[in-house]
Amino acid sequence: MAFPARAKGMGESFRAAAAQYIQPAPILSHAQRVCRLYRAALKTQGSWAVDRQVFIAEADKMRAAFDANAALPADGRQAILLVEAGEEKLYEYTHPDRYICAYLPGGSLYMRNPPLPLHVVHDGHVPAGATETFRNPDMTVVVEGEKGTVGQVLVDQHSKRMY
């Protein structure tokens, strides 16, 4: 049985729509890259480890590997190669169904019982002095200058990220 051909341009249309929300990746220092790599490695390890004791043992080994190379100069070629190798290894070990916090996109509590707008609660007559707080999709309060203040937030359901 032949499957129907996909509409051409669908991927390009989605990428064009998503490009409005995706901000350029920040330029990171070596220390920031190492910290983000370590944190992502711990999160990935948490998705693979079934038991907390296994996770702690593997996390100790990982920390020892990071500490063994902590004295390398940040601008040295060996340090750069180690970070790149670590990022490749992290990509290789990425879990296909990673653990997700319950309140984040993809979690079991995501957008459960969001607060109603005040004009709905008070039947169009909002009391004086009442302020409405806007919330991100993960139910955190929108802070001025963050992504939720620009109007809309794009949630990638596959990678569980908000843009």
Side-chain angles (χ1 to χ4, degrees):
M1 177 175 158
F3 291 104
R6 289 185 179 179
K8 292 192 179 211
M10 179 69 170
E12 291 127 18
S13 299
F14 180 76
R15 280 192 292 274
Q20 299 174 21
Y21 299 98
I22 298 175
Q23 300 173 0
I27 299 172
L28 302 175
S29 68
H30 176 76
Q32 289 172 321
R33 282 182 69 191
V34 171
C35 287
R36 288 186 183 193
L37 174 63
Y38 181 68
R39 183 172 181 192
L42 283 177
K43 286 185 175 188
T44 301
Q45 182 63 39
S47 293
W48 285 107
V50 221
D51 184 37
R52 190 69 179 166
Q53 296 303 321
V54 173
F55 171 77
I56 291 171
E58 292 298 318
D60 286 342
K61 290 179 194 174
M62 191 183 322
R63 181 61 190 217
F66 273 81
D67 286 342
N69 298 306
L72 293 175
D75 56 351
R77 184 72 183 143
Q78 186 179 6
I80 294 170
L81 289 174
L82 281 171
V83 170
E84 289 173 357
E87 289 169 346
E88 289 173 9
K89 189 173 182 181
L90 177 67
Y91 180 75
E92 179 184 331
Y93 284 103
T94 299
H95 197 281
D97 188 24
R98 64 190 178 103
Y99 175 77
I100 303 162
C101 291
Y103 57 86
L104 293 178
S108 59
L109 295 176
Y110 175 66
M111 287 298 287
R112 185 180 292 181
N113 302 326
L116 294 172
L118 289 179
H119 70 277
V120 173
V121 173
H122 298 289
D123 195 26
H125 306 289
V126 180
T131 58
E132 191 166 12
T133 58
F134 295 99
R135 299 196 176 259
N136 288 314
D138 62 352
M139 300 305 292
T140 58
V141 177
V142 173
V143 178
E144 189 63 37
E146 287 186 351
K147 53 187 121 187
T149 58
V150 295
Q152 296 179 345
V153 176
L154 176 69
V155 178
D156 183 356
Q157 292 294 335
H158 177 69
S159 67
K160 315 296 191 257
R161 293 182 60 196
M162 290 189 308
Y163 298 101

